[in-house]
Amino acid sequence: MITSKLPNVGTTIFTRMSQLAMETGALNLSQGFPDFDGPQALRDAVGRHIAAGHNQYSPMTGLPALREQVATKIQRCYGRAVSADSEITITPGATQAIFCAIQALIRAGDEVIVFDPCYDSYEPAVELAGGRCVHVPLGQPDFAIDWQRLNDALSPKTRLIILNSPHNPSGALISRTELDRLATLIRDRDIYLVSDEVYEHLVFDGAQHASVVAHEELYQRAFVVSSFGKTYHVTGWKTGYVVAPAALSAELRKVHQYVSFCGVTPLQWALADFMAEHPEHVEQLPAFYQAKRDLFCDLLGDSRFCFTRAAGTFFQLADYSAIRDDLEDVAMSEWLTREHGVATIPVSVFYQQAPKDLRLVRFCFAKREETLRQAAEKLCAI
Ligand SMILES: Cc1ncc(COP(=O)(O)O)c(C=O)c1O
């Protein structure tokens, strides 16, 4: 009988809720992916590159043309000149980039601080490396860093802090001032950062994303991760990248080289072409998703759900205590799917220990207008 290295890992709630949505025919506002396609020109480019014979391994660090495009974008958006050769690595998805960064850094006995609620891939990656996650709950109701708790959680064993802004599931943003405060806190300690910025271009109401790439001091000890899947509406392409100073990138690449070696070649060619031809795509994303957020929230205004509009990401949290205060959120999500035809994600699954009175579900609004209208109609009828 095999002894599991990850005894606490089962089928994730994302798979379960998407399956339940399929079985019941519910509208799927659970897992975070669009129900519309990426840009036609981007999809056409893949076919073109496959036909042109771009079907063999790309360089281990990623296609040079794509790394150049990422460097150009970083300069444009965050004002930092990074080396496409030594600081940017293309990976098969942001999740793999995070995994490689963690394996490159963490040794047995190291502690990694994660902020709850947090994305579910962090902890198994830390455990496989022999480390231990120390869970620091974000403050309520705004999901901001609780500095006292963070301070209390630091120990001589702390080797890494994982940040995620814009934040899944809450949509909260870390500000530049908070990054400054973090820099002061860890200045004299041997602590690194993984900054999960896969929703970097999804920030609303005129806010600016405070990227760790743009923070001179923090960047020196950071792996900054993003996802082409989120930015170009092609989550199934599982293509992402990590930006880190040369010495950190070199260590990450040692792992990446033996986890996958490289990303999918024709996808990288297509992304490089599209980024060169359509730099405006990322500029237009905030307005594109803000319109979806606002449509969904305006329509939900007639429901008994309570919410504050998400500041970023394509997720909207909603408090359902006025509807079914008797149900915990996992049961509520199942009830909403089975009885009311809308699949959601319960927020407690993002916690090691969720607050007892948590009555929040997460809706994904990366959906066509028609889907959002149908979902809101069902939710308003409850
Ligand atoms: C916070 C966060 N990080 C990483 C990822 C994964 O990105 P990718 O699909 O590129 O691996 C997701 C996807 O849902 C996410 O929400």
Side-chain angles (χ1 to χ4, degrees), residues 32 92-96 98 119 122 164 168 196 198-199 226-227 229-230 235 238-240 315:
T95 310
Q96 203 247 39
I98 294 165
Y119 185 59
Y122 306 154
N164 171 215
N168 174 11
D196 179 348
V198 298
Y199 302 103
S226 191
S227 170
K230 304 287 182 190
T235 58
K238 290 301 289 188
T239 305
F315 301 116

Side-chain angles (χ1 to χ4, degrees), residues 127-348:
E127 286 182 0
L128 285 175
R132 185 175 79 84
C133 276
V134 176
H135 293 257
V136 177
L138 292 169
Q140 286 291 346
D142 54 359
F143 294 93
I145 294 174
D146 181 330
W147 293 96
Q148 188 57 53
R149 285 191 159 198
L150 174 57
N151 207 21
D152 294 348
L154 290 174
S155 89
K157 292 184 186 164
T158 310
R159 175 110 173 122
L160 170 67
I161 298 176
I162 304 184
L163 300 176
N164 171 215
S165 175
H167 178 243
N168 174 11
S170 72
L173 310 178
I174 294 178
S175 67
R176 171 69 200 205
T177 314
E178 287 174 296
L179 292 184
D180 289 342
R181 194 163 173 182
L182 182 66
T184 307
L185 188 65
I186 63 175
R187 185 162 296 146
D188 300 320
R189 299 177 191 247
D190 186 24
I191 294 178
Y192 292 84
L193 295 178
V194 165
S195 187
D196 179 348
E197 303 185 10
V198 298
Y199 302 103
E200 62 178 321
H201 300 298
L202 278 58
V203 290
F204 311 134
D205 307 312
Q208 293 295 314
H209 169 55
S211 176
V212 167
V213 165
H215 196 285
E216 182 55 36
E217 187 177 350
L218 288 181
Y219 177 67
Q220 301 312 323
R221 46 169 94 200
F223 296 89
V224 181
V225 174
S226 191
S227 170
F228 297 106
K230 304 287 182 190
T231 300
Y232 295 98
H233 319 307
V234 286
T235 58
W237 288 15
K238 290 301 289 188
T239 305
Y241 64 85
V242 52
V243 192
L248 299 189
S249 289
E251 290 308 308
L252 173 123
R253 288 169 177 184
K254 290 180 187 173
V255 181
H256 159 73
Q257 141 166 285
Y258 295 117
V259 171
S260 60
F261 186 74
C262 65
V264 177
T265 304
L267 300 185
Q268 294 185 63
W269 277 104
L271 284 161
D273 283 1
F274 190 80
M275 286 179 81
E277 285 158 20
H278 297 282
E280 78 288 354
H281 176 89
V282 294
E283 319 296 339
Q284 292 167 354
L285 268 188
F288 175 79
Y289 272 114
Q290 186 172 327
K292 292 193 178 296
R293 179 203 65 173
D294 286 342
L295 172 70
F296 186 58
C297 288
D298 288 348
L299 293 167
L300 270 197
D302 290 333
S303 75
R304 288 191 288 154
F305 288 94
C306 287
F307 53 86
T308 307
R309 290 177 193 232
T313 74
F314 47 45
F315 301 116
Q316 178 62 53
L317 294 189
D319 182 305
Y320 60 85
S321 51
I323 301 172
R324 288 295 305 264
D325 201 29
D326 59 315
L327 288 184
E328 289 192 346
D329 61 356
V330 175
M332 180 67 181
S333 292
E334 284 179 10
W335 182 75
L336 283 172
T337 311
R338 288 186 195 282
E339 305 297 324
H340 297 281
V342 182
T344 63
I345 294 291
V347 171
S348 65

Side-chain angles (χ1 to χ4, degrees), residues 19-86:
Q19 251 168 16
L20 190 61
M22 280 223 305
E23 278 162 35
T24 57
L27 295 166
N28 191 357
L29 267 55
S30 61
Q31 210 172 349
F33 59 81
D35 71 347
F36 47 88
D37 237 330
Q40 185 71 47
L42 176 60
R43 289 180 284 134
D44 289 348
V46 181
R48 221 174 39 242
H49 283 291
I50 289 177
H54 290 145
N55 300 305
Q56 308 309 330
Y57 296 129
S58 67
M60 180 272 280
T61 57
L63 204 69
L66 183 54
R67 284 187 277 115
E68 287 295 345
Q69 285 304 321
V70 172
T72 303
K73 188 202 77 171
I74 288 172
Q75 173 76 65
R76 202 177 64 237
C77 293
Y78 305 122
R80 171 178 290 280
V82 291
S83 158
D85 280 339
S86 61

